[in-house]
Amino acid sequence: MTDPSKIAVAVVCSSNMNRSMEAHNFLAKKGFNVRSYGTGERVKLPGMAFDKPNVYEFGTSYEDIYRDLEAKDKEFYTQNGLLHMLDRNRRIKKCPERFQETKEQFDIIVTVEERVYDLVVLHMESMESVDNRPVHVLNVDVVDNAEDALMGAFLITDMINLMAKSTDLDNDIDEMIQEFEERRNRVILHSVLFY
């Protein structure tokens, strides 16, 4: 089995708030070298009205977002779970990060919805080739709510644990994905791209 800290993993959702952070938390606790990102233009969180989300720039600290929502309506944002989520996030890292702005390289990138997967693949294909190092981009669909994010984090951690057992991921990954899909009754999108 490969040492989990030797596998560089990124988990990507839209705003780097819920699904990617829950999986980031799980994978970090298992010893993986993990980072998390969003692909959106800005970070969007539900507001008090459906058509009035709270919008922040990537790089705004989780602490500042927490304080902003707490000042707007502590009871409302406690009841809908956002303050709890932000409290977890600020213990993991400083702020939401945008995938398209990172220079880091990964062995595996996991996205949580097809739209995010498409944006990651598009970004990777638009980059100048650096050293032809392969990266496996995988998508596991996860609904964007607290309960499904928790279940998604279990699934993603299970999948990455399976892949960590490989001594030759590039050759073994297709078989591993098939095994995971059958065992978990999930469809996994997979692309191999290069840095």
Side-chain angles (χ1 to χ4, degrees), residues 1-13 16 18-37 88 92 106-112 136 138 140 142 149-165 180:
M1 180 169 190
T2 305
D3 176 356
S5 67
K6 301 272 191 264
I7 300 172
V9 179
V11 186
V12 188
C13 67
N16 197 198
N18 183 28
R19 297 166 292 175
S20 62
M21 288 300 289
E22 190 71 73
H24 182 150
N25 193 29
F26 270 66
L27 289 165
K29 286 178 179 174
K30 295 284 185 188
F32 286 97
N33 172 14
V34 62
R35 299 290 304 266
S36 57
Y37 300 93
R88 174 204 63 207
I92 297 169
F106 301 96
D107 300 304
I108 301 170
I109 300 171
V110 181
T111 63
V112 294
H136 296 276
L138 305 158
V140 177
V142 179
L150 188 61
M151 291 307 301
F154 277 114
L155 280 172
I156 290 166
T157 302
D158 183 36
M159 183 176 70
I160 299 298
N161 271 326
L162 178 67
M163 292 175 183
K165 293 176 182 172
F180 182 81

Side-chain angles (χ1 to χ4, degrees), residues 14 16 18 46 51 53 58 67 100 105-106 132 144 148 158 166 172 176 195:
S14 187
N16 197 198
N18 183 28
D51 60 341
F58 278 95
R67 288 201 173 130
Q100 293 91 328
Q105 292 188 2
F106 301 96
N132 275 344
D144 195 2
D148 285 304
D158 183 36
S166 172
D172 298 343
M176 291 178 146
Y195 284 105

